[in-house]
Amino acid sequence: MITLPKSEYEKILGEAQLRAPDEACGLIGGRVLDDGKEVVKAYILTNIDHSPEHFSLDPKEQLQAVKDMRAQGLVPLGNWHSHPATPSRPSEEDKRLAYDSKASYLILSLQDSSTPVLHSFHIEGTDSTREELRII
């Protein structure tokens, strides 16, 4: 299970809505617990591809976010990105680029603008499994 503070969810949602129709993206940092992962902070990073269909994290911003996590005693838990016009599930490209099988991949769909949908996934190879996600 993954817990995500409502304030961090709202930060992700706001950035995704602001960047649409391009994908928005970032990292998540927090703690690994006995019963799952606790997201403490969502990091907003630039999608250097500026594309509605894929994203690439800005390497300098990524390094800065990881440094910030370490300074706060947090660990990288994974990343998040938006799907402005498609469902909240990993695309074939998302699966192909998911190199860390320990990471959680949060995907926020804005397909129905009145009802955004956020899910978290564990991706290993071509297999993806939805993880339990609680916004608290």
Side-chain angles (χ1 to χ4, degrees), residues 24-97:
C25 58
L27 297 176
I28 52 172
R31 298 179 187 91
V32 177
L33 308 173
D34 290 339
D35 61 346
K37 298 175 183 176
E38 172 189 37
V39 176
V40 174
K41 186 171 181 179
Y43 293 82
I44 307 296
L45 277 66
T46 302
N47 176 0
I48 59 174
D49 293 337
H50 304 287
S51 168
E53 297 171 352
H54 54 88
F55 73 97
S56 295
L57 301 170
D58 180 294
K60 290 179 184 176
E61 292 176 358
Q62 191 173 359
L63 180 61
Q64 196 58 39
V66 172
K67 284 182 179 180
D68 184 73
M69 287 179 213
R70 289 182 181 148
Q72 294 187 48
L74 306 175
V75 297
L77 298 176
N79 67 48
W80 69 268
H81 72 280
S82 62
H83 281 184
T86 57
S88 176
R89 64 174 176 250
S91 67
E92 291 307 310
E93 182 176 352
D94 292 336
K95 292 177 189 177
R96 186 175 54 79
L97 297 174

Side-chain angles (χ1 to χ4, degrees), residues 3-14 39-42 118 133-136:
T3 59
L4 175 69
K6 186 172 171 75
S7 60
E8 298 307 290
Y9 166 75
E10 290 171 352
K11 185 190 323 182
I12 290 170
L13 176 61
V39 176
V40 174
K41 186 171 181 179
L118 179 66
L133 173 66
R134 287 193 189 156
I135 298 172
I136 55 172

Side-chain angles (χ1 to χ4, degrees), residues 94-116:
D94 292 336
K95 292 177 189 177
R96 186 175 54 79
L97 297 174
Y99 295 112
D100 185 355
S101 63
K102 294 179 183 168
S104 292
Y105 297 89
L106 276 62
I107 301 174
L108 176 67
S109 172
L110 299 176
Q111 185 176 23
D112 177 354
S113 61
S114 64
T115 312

Side-chain angles (χ1 to χ4, degrees), residues 117-131:
V117 176
L118 179 66
H119 291 305
S120 180
F121 297 90
H122 170 83
I123 302 174
E124 202 159 341
T126 58
D127 297 325
S128 65
T129 307
R130 201 163 117 193
E131 300 175 312

